[in-house]
Amino acid sequence: LTTKLDKGTYTGTAQDLKNSIDNIQVGGRNLILNSNGLISPISSYGAVVSESSEIPPQFTSGKSTKVSPVQDIHFLRIHCIKEIGTYTFSAWIKRTNGNDYPLKISANDLGIKHFQITNTEWRYITHTIEVTNVSDVYNFFDLRADTQWVEFLIYNPKIEKGNKATDWTPAPEDKQDRLQDVTGYIGL
């Protein structure tokens, strides 16, 4: 259910409407650590990952994560899935160079979706995936470019449990780390 209903325009049954409402699973907690800078925990294949000061123009603070290729197929893997369920990825993404090839997003090699990302504009994307298997090996979201030398930036990524993307917030651990930094600095 994504739009406002006007009286007389809904054609489904009352039960269909109830089921649509009941199936909304709002997330909230960001599972990515340091998502407003060099995100973690991550691994990369065929890429160098670094922090960048380039961010979408409508934002005034923070940093992005830059994924720079060192070979044809490269990806950023974010390790954060701990249990079976529905997860939603959201982020602002921009390609900084390369040909017009899609960026693929998946979780545990499931639910692959292609996104066309330009190298002139930031694009906000979301992708919801049902994760049916979790293990020591399968615990990740992948952002993958299957072509040579496509560099991309990721700003304010969020992975949350549930089927609706919510506004970006830092992981609770990030807030706690900052609080410890401040209290240590002032000597409390």
Side-chain angles (χ1 to χ4, degrees):
L1 216 43
T2 59
T3 60
K4 179 181 172 187
L5 292 177
D6 293 322
K7 187 176 180 181
T9 61
Y10 181 70
T11 58
T13 67
Q15 186 62 44
D16 291 339
L17 181 59
K18 180 185 180 317
N19 289 343
S20 292
I21 293 169
D22 289 345
N23 288 332
I24 295 173
Q25 303 169 18
V26 176
R29 188 220 187 281
N30 195 345
L31 300 173
I32 302 173
L33 301 180
N34 195 30
S35 59
N36 194 248
L38 186 58
I39 59 180
S40 66
I42 61 168
S43 60
S44 63
Y45 172 82
V48 174
V49 180
S50 60
E51 195 171 74
S52 172
S53 59
E54 185 176 350
I55 64 173
Q58 63 269 42
F59 297 98
T60 58
S61 65
K63 300 210 182 258
S64 63
T65 297
K66 180 191 285 187
V67 180
S68 304
V70 293
Q71 63 187 40
D72 285 1
I73 297 172
H74 58 283
F75 60 80
L76 174 68
R77 181 164 282 172
I78 305 168
H79 303 276
C80 64
I81 298 174
K82 295 187 178 13
E83 60 189 28
I84 292 171
T86 303
Y87 291 83
T88 298
F89 171 85
S90 60
W92 287 91
I93 298 183
K94 177 183 177 183
R95 207 178 69 230
T96 61
N97 68 355
N99 297 323
D100 190 23
Y101 289 100
L103 184 67
K104 297 177 184 177
I105 298 177
S106 66
N108 292 351
D109 296 330
L110 302 169
I112 297 171
K113 186 171 182 179
H114 298 86
F115 292 91
Q116 288 300 125
I117 309 295
T118 69
N119 58 0
T120 57
E121 295 179 14
W122 285 90
R123 178 174 174 200
Y124 182 73
I125 62 170
T126 66
H127 183 34
T128 299
I129 301 172
E130 186 67 31
V131 174
T132 57
N133 180 29
V134 177
S135 68
D136 290 343
V137 174
Y138 288 103
N139 61 8
F140 58 84
F141 262 76
D142 271 346
L143 283 77
R144 178 178 174 138
D146 284 343
T147 187
Q148 189 175 19
W149 314 128
V150 174
E151 182 176 84
F152 56 93
L153 298 168
I154 306 163
Y155 180 74
N156 281 359
K158 187 173 187 177
I159 296 174
E160 55 195 309
K161 200 152 187 212
N163 63 5
K164 294 291 177 200
T166 59
D167 289 343
W168 177 85
T169 53
E173 296 88 341
D174 294 342
K175 291 179 182 178
Q176 184 62 35
D177 288 348
R178 292 191 82 193
L179 178 61
Q180 288 173 346
D181 289 347
V182 168
T183 57
Y185 179 75
I186 59 175
L188 294 178

